[in-house]
Coordinates of all heavy atoms in Angstrom, one line a residue:
Chain A
A1110 N 84.5 83.8 109.1 CA 85.4 84.9 109.1 C 85.1 86.0 108.1 O 85.2 87.2 108.4 CB 86.8 84.3 108.8
V1111 N 84.8 85.6 106.9 CA 84.5 86.5 105.8 C 83.4 87.5 106.2 O 83.4 88.7 106.1 CB 84.2 85.8 104.5 CG1 83.9 86.9 103.4 CG2 85.4 85.0 104.0
Q1114 N 84.4 90.0 108.7 CA 85.2 91.1 108.1 C 84.3 92.1 107.3 O 84.4 93.3 107.4 CB 86.1 90.5 107.1 CG 87.3 89.7 107.7 CD 88.2 89.0 106.7 OE1 88.0 89.2 105.5 NE2 89.1 88.2 107.1
V1115 N 83.3 91.5 106.5 CA 82.5 92.4 105.7 C 81.5 93.2 106.6 O 81.3 94.4 106.3 CB 81.7 91.5 104.7 CG1 80.8 92.4 103.8 CG2 82.7 90.7 103.8
A1205 N 84.8 94.1 94.0 CA 86.1 93.5 93.8 C 86.7 93.0 95.1 O 87.4 92.1 95.1 CB 87.0 94.5 93.1
A1206 N 86.3 93.8 96.2 CA 86.8 93.4 97.5 C 86.1 92.2 98.1 O 86.6 91.3 98.7 CB 86.8 94.6 98.5
V1207 N 84.8 92.2 97.8 CA 83.9 91.1 98.3 C 83.1 90.5 97.1 O 82.0 90.9 96.8 CB 82.9 91.6 99.3 CG1 82.1 90.4 100.0 CG2 83.6 92.4 100.4
P1208 N 83.7 89.6 96.3 CA 83.0 89.1 95.2 C 81.8 88.2 95.5 O 81.0 88.0 94.6 CB 84.0 88.3 94.4 CG 85.2 88.2 95.3 CD 85.0 89.0 96.5
Q1209 N 81.6 87.8 96.7 CA 80.5 87.0 97.1 C 79.3 88.0 97.3 O 79.2 88.6 98.4 CB 80.7 86.2 98.4 CG 81.8 85.1 98.3 CD 83.2 85.7 98.5 OE1 83.3 86.9 98.9 NE2 84.2 85.0 98.1
Chain B
R647 N 92.6 80.1 89.4 CA 91.3 80.0 90.0 C 90.4 81.2 89.5 O 90.9 82.2 89.0 CB 91.4 80.2 91.5 CG 92.0 78.9 92.2 CD 91.8 78.9 93.7 NE 92.7 79.9 94.3 CZ 92.5 80.3 95.6 NH1 91.6 79.7 96.3 NH2 93.3 81.2 96.1
Y649 N 88.1 84.3 90.0 CA 88.2 85.4 90.9 C 87.3 85.2 92.2 O 87.7 85.5 93.3 CB 87.8 86.8 90.2 CG 88.1 88.0 91.1 CD1 89.4 88.5 91.1 CD2 87.1 88.6 91.9 CE1 89.7 89.6 91.9 CE2 87.4 89.7 92.7 CZ 88.7 90.2 92.7 OH 89.0 91.3 93.5
R650 N 86.1 84.7 91.9 CA 85.2 84.5 93.0 C 85.7 83.5 94.1 O 85.3 83.6 95.2 CB 83.8 84.0 92.5 CG 82.6 84.4 93.2 CD 81.4 84.0 92.4 NE 81.5 84.3 91.0 CZ 80.8 83.7 90.0 NH1 80.0 82.7 90.3 NH2 81.0 84.1 88.8
E651 N 86.6 82.6 93.6 CA 87.1 81.6 94.6 C 88.2 82.1 95.4 O 88.7 81.4 96.3 CB 87.5 80.4 93.8 CG 86.4 79.7 93.0 CD 86.8 78.8 91.9 OE1 88.1 78.6 91.7 OE2 86.0 78.4 91.1
L652 N 88.7 83.3 95.1 CA 89.9 83.8 95.9 C 89.5 84.1 97.3 O 88.4 84.8 97.5 CB 90.4 85.1 95.2 CG 91.0 84.9 93.8 CD1 91.4 86.3 93.2 CD2 92.2 84.0 93.8
H653 N 90.3 83.7 98.2 CA 90.0 84.1 99.6 C 90.7 85.5 99.9 O 91.9 85.6 99.6 CB 90.7 83.0 100.5 CG 90.4 83.2 102.0 ND1 89.1 83.1 102.5 CD2 91.2 83.6 103.0 CE1 89.2 83.4 103.8 NE2 90.4 83.7 104.1
D654 N 89.9 86.4 100.4 CA 90.4 87.8 100.5 C 91.1 88.3 99.2 O 92.3 88.5 99.1 CB 91.4 87.9 101.7 CG 90.8 87.7 103.0 OD1 89.5 87.8 103.1 OD2 91.5 87.3 104.0
P655 N 90.2 88.5 98.2 CA 90.8 88.8 96.8 C 91.7 89.9 96.8 O 92.6 89.9 95.9 CB 89.5 89.0 96.0 CG 88.4 89.2 97.0 CD 88.8 88.5 98.2
L656 N 91.6 91.0 97.6 CA 92.5 92.1 97.6 C 93.9 91.7 97.9 O 94.9 92.5 97.5 CB 92.0 93.2 98.5 CG 90.7 93.9 98.2 CD1 90.4 95.0 99.1 CD2 90.5 94.3 96.8
R657 N 94.1 90.6 98.5 CA 95.5 90.1 98.8 C 96.1 89.4 97.6 O 97.3 89.1 97.6 CB 95.4 89.2 100.0 CG 95.1 89.9 101.3 CD 94.7 88.8 102.3 NE 94.5 89.4 103.7 CZ 95.5 89.5 104.6 NH1 96.7 88.9 104.3 NH2 95.3 90.0 105.7
T658 N 95.3 89.1 96.6 CA 95.8 88.5 95.4 C 95.8 89.4 94.2 O 96.8 89.5 93.5 CB 95.0 87.2 95.1 OG1 94.9 86.4 96.2 CG2 95.6 86.5 93.9
V659 N 94.7 90.2 94.1 CA 94.6 91.1 93.0 C 94.3 92.5 93.5 O 93.3 92.7 94.2 CB 93.5 90.6 92.0 CG1 93.4 91.5 90.8 CG2 93.7 89.2 91.6
A682 N 90.1 97.6 103.5 CA 91.0 96.7 104.3 C 90.3 95.8 105.2 O 90.6 94.6 105.2 CB 92.0 97.6 105.1
Q683 N 89.3 96.3 105.9 CA 88.5 95.5 106.9 C 87.8 94.3 106.1 O 87.8 93.2 106.7 CB 87.5 96.3 107.6 CG 88.1 97.2 108.6 CD 87.2 98.2 109.2 OE1 86.2 98.6 108.6 NE2 87.4 98.6 110.5
S684 N 87.3 94.6 104.9 CA 86.6 93.5 104.2 C 87.5 92.4 103.8 O 87.0 91.3 103.6 CB 85.9 94.1 103.0 OG 86.8 94.4 102.0
N685 N 88.8 92.6 103.8 CA 89.7 91.5 103.4 C 90.7 91.2 104.5 O 91.7 90.6 104.3 CB 90.5 91.9 102.2 CG 89.7 91.6 100.9 OD1 90.0 90.8 100.1 ND2 88.6 92.3 100.7
G686 N 90.3 91.6 105.8 CA 91.2 91.2 106.9 C 92.6 91.8 106.9 O 93.5 91.2 107.3
I687 N 92.7 93.0 106.2 CA 94.0 93.6 106.2 C 94.1 94.6 107.4 O 93.2 95.4 107.6 CB 94.2 94.4 104.8 CG1 94.1 93.4 103.7 CG2 95.4 95.2 104.8 CD1 93.8 94.1 102.3
G728 N 96.3 95.3 99.6 CA 96.5 93.9 100.0 C 97.8 93.4 99.7 O 98.0 92.2 99.8
P730 N 99.2 92.8 96.8 CA 98.8 91.7 95.9 C 99.9 91.2 94.9 O 100.8 92.0 94.6 CB 97.6 92.2 95.1 CG 97.8 93.7 95.1 CD 98.6 94.1 96.3
R911 N 102.8 91.4 106.5 CA 102.4 90.1 106.1 C 102.9 89.1 107.1 O 102.3 88.2 107.6 CB 102.9 89.7 104.8 CG 102.1 90.4 103.7 CD 102.1 89.6 102.4 NE 100.9 89.9 101.7 CZ 100.3 89.1 100.8 NH1 100.8 87.9 100.7 NH2 99.2 89.4 100.2
R914 N 101.1 89.1 110.3 CA 99.8 88.5 110.2 C 99.9 87.0 110.3 O 99.2 86.3 111.0 CB 99.1 88.9 108.9 CG 97.7 88.4 108.9 CD 97.0 88.8 107.6 NE 95.9 87.9 107.4 CZ 94.7 88.0 108.0 NH1 94.5 89.0 108.8 NH2 93.8 87.1 107.8
E918 N 98.2 84.4 112.8 CA 97.3 83.3 112.4 C 97.7 82.0 112.9 O 96.9 81.1 113.2 CB 97.2 83.3 110.9 CG 96.2 84.3 110.3 CD 96.3 84.4 108.8 OE1 97.3 83.9 108.2 OE2 95.4 84.9 108.2

Side-chain angles (χ1 to χ4, degrees):
Chain A
V1111 177
Q1114 289 175 8
V1115 180
V1207 186
Q1209 297 79 15
Chain B
R647 288 194 291 171
Y649 189 83
R650 211 174 311 158
E651 297 159 6
L652 297 174
H653 184 68
D654 292 339
L656 296 185
R657 290 161 172 268
T658 306
V659 183
Q683 287 171 330
S684 69
N685 277 247
I687 297 163
R911 282 208 156 210
R914 190 180 156 81
E918 276 172 345

